[in-house]
Amino acid sequence: MKEDGETRELLMEKAKREFLEKGYMKSSLRRICSEAGVTTGALYFFFKDKEDLFGALVDRFIAQLSGLLEQHFEEENALLSQIPGYEHSEGDHDRFAELLVRHLYNNYDVIILLVKKSQGSRYENFPDRITELLEKRYFFFLSEYAERHGLPAPEPFFVHFIVHTAVDSLVQLLLSEKDVERAVVIQKKLLEFVVAGSARLILSKEGQPPG
C-alpha cells in the first residue's frame, strides 16, 4: 500500500512538470510514465485518463478555494441585519484579501495549470467558472442588502461587470507580481475599489453614494 501511494505521488509530480512545461493538450502520458519509471498500466491503475490525472493536481485546490469564498459570503451575509452602512466590513475585506492572496500564492503552480495550461480539458474555463460563482453569490448579497436598507435592487449588468473586472484583475496580479507581500497590498486596494464601486453604482439612491 505504501509503495502504491509513493508511485501515485511520483506520477503526480512528473505530471505536474509535464503539464506546466507543455500544457494539457501537448502533454504525453507515455512521457510522464517514462519520467516516473513506470508503465502506462501503472498509471491507469491510479487514474482513468489524462484529464483525471490533471484533476488530481487541481481538484483539491478548487474545493479549498470554493470553500474560502463561500465562507467569506456566509460571514458577510451574517452581518446584513446588524450594520447601518456598506462600509462596515472594510477590515474584514482586508482580512479576506490577505487570506485569498496567500492561499493562491501557496498553490501558485496549480494556479498556472488552471489559468494557462488547461486548454483542452474541462478546466479550461476556470476563471469564468469562478466569476459565475462569485456573481451569483455577490448578486444575492447585494440584493439582500438593498432590500434591508430600502435601496434600489442591484442591476445584474453592474454586478457582472464588477465581478468580472475583479476576477480579471486578480488573475493579472497573479501572473505579473511574484512578490506575495506586494500582491497582498495590491489586492487589498483592488478589493477596496470593488467595494467602493459596488456602493456607488449599485447601492446608491438616485446615483448618489450611500451616506
Side-chain angles (χ1 to χ4, degrees):
M1 187 67 67
K2 181 178 178 181
E3 290 182 357
D4 285 348
E6 291 175 350
T7 299
R8 187 177 188 278
E9 290 300 315
L10 181 59
L11 282 166
M12 290 177 62
E13 175 188 336
K14 300 303 182 182
K16 179 192 283 189
R17 181 183 302 175
E18 176 82 0
F19 289 134
L20 285 171
E21 289 180 356
K22 298 179 173 60
Y24 178 83
M25 292 184 68
K26 295 183 179 180
S27 291
S28 164
L29 292 183
R30 288 185 179 276
R31 195 158 45 232
I32 292 169
C33 291
S34 176
E35 289 292 321
V38 301
T39 65
T40 53
L43 185 144
Y44 286 117
F45 176 78
F46 298 104
F47 309 101
K48 292 186 297 184
D49 50 30
K50 184 163 68 171
E51 192 169 65
D52 189 41
L53 176 55
F54 192 90
L57 296 169
V58 302
D59 281 344
R60 182 178 179 184
F61 165 79
I62 293 174
Q64 291 173 339
L65 178 60
S66 297
L68 182 62
L69 296 174
E70 289 291 345
Q71 180 181 352
H72 173 66
F73 278 108
E74 287 176 5
E75 291 172 354
E76 290 286 288
N77 290 339
L79 294 172
L80 276 174
S81 61
Q82 307 172 22
I83 54 181
Y86 188 66
E87 61 274 15
H88 79 285
S89 55
E90 181 178 344
D92 289 337
H93 290 142
D94 281 352
R95 180 176 63 86
F96 171 66
E98 182 159 0
L99 286 173
L100 177 62
V101 169
R102 293 194 185 283
H103 180 63
L104 295 175
Y105 276 80
N106 285 339
N107 296 273
Y108 195 81
D109 284 349
V110 179
I111 289 293
I112 297 300
L113 287 175
L114 287 167
V115 173
K116 299 186 69 176
K117 305 294 182 177
S118 59
Q119 184 178 7
S121 75
R122 68 177 182 269
Y123 299 93
E124 65 177 321
N125 296 318
F126 174 71
D128 292 336
R129 289 167 55 191
I130 292 297
T131 299
E132 183 179 355
L133 168 66
L134 290 175
E135 188 175 340
K136 288 179 180 178
R137 300 294 276 132
Y138 201 41
F139 183 81
F140 173 80
F141 170 79
L142 294 173
S143 298
E144 288 289 307
Y145 183 93
E147 182 177 352
R148 289 173 183 266
H149 295 276
L151 295 166
E155 288 286 344
F157 169 78
F158 282 128
V159 177
H160 173 77
F161 178 79
I162 288 174
V163 172
H164 200 285
T165 300
V167 173
D168 285 350
S169 297
L170 179 56
V171 169
Q172 290 306 311
L173 174 62
L174 290 167
L175 297 180
S176 61
E177 181 56 64
K178 303 302 181 184
D179 185 336
V180 62
E181 300 303 329
R182 178 168 167 75
V184 167
V185 173
I186 294 172
Q187 181 57 24
K188 286 180 179 181
K189 293 183 179 297
L190 289 172
L191 192 54
E192 181 182 352
F193 170 80
V194 170
V195 172
S198 299
R200 188 172 185 87
L201 294 176
I202 301 174
L203 300 177
S204 61
K205 290 183 179 179
E206 299 177 353
Q208 297 299 316

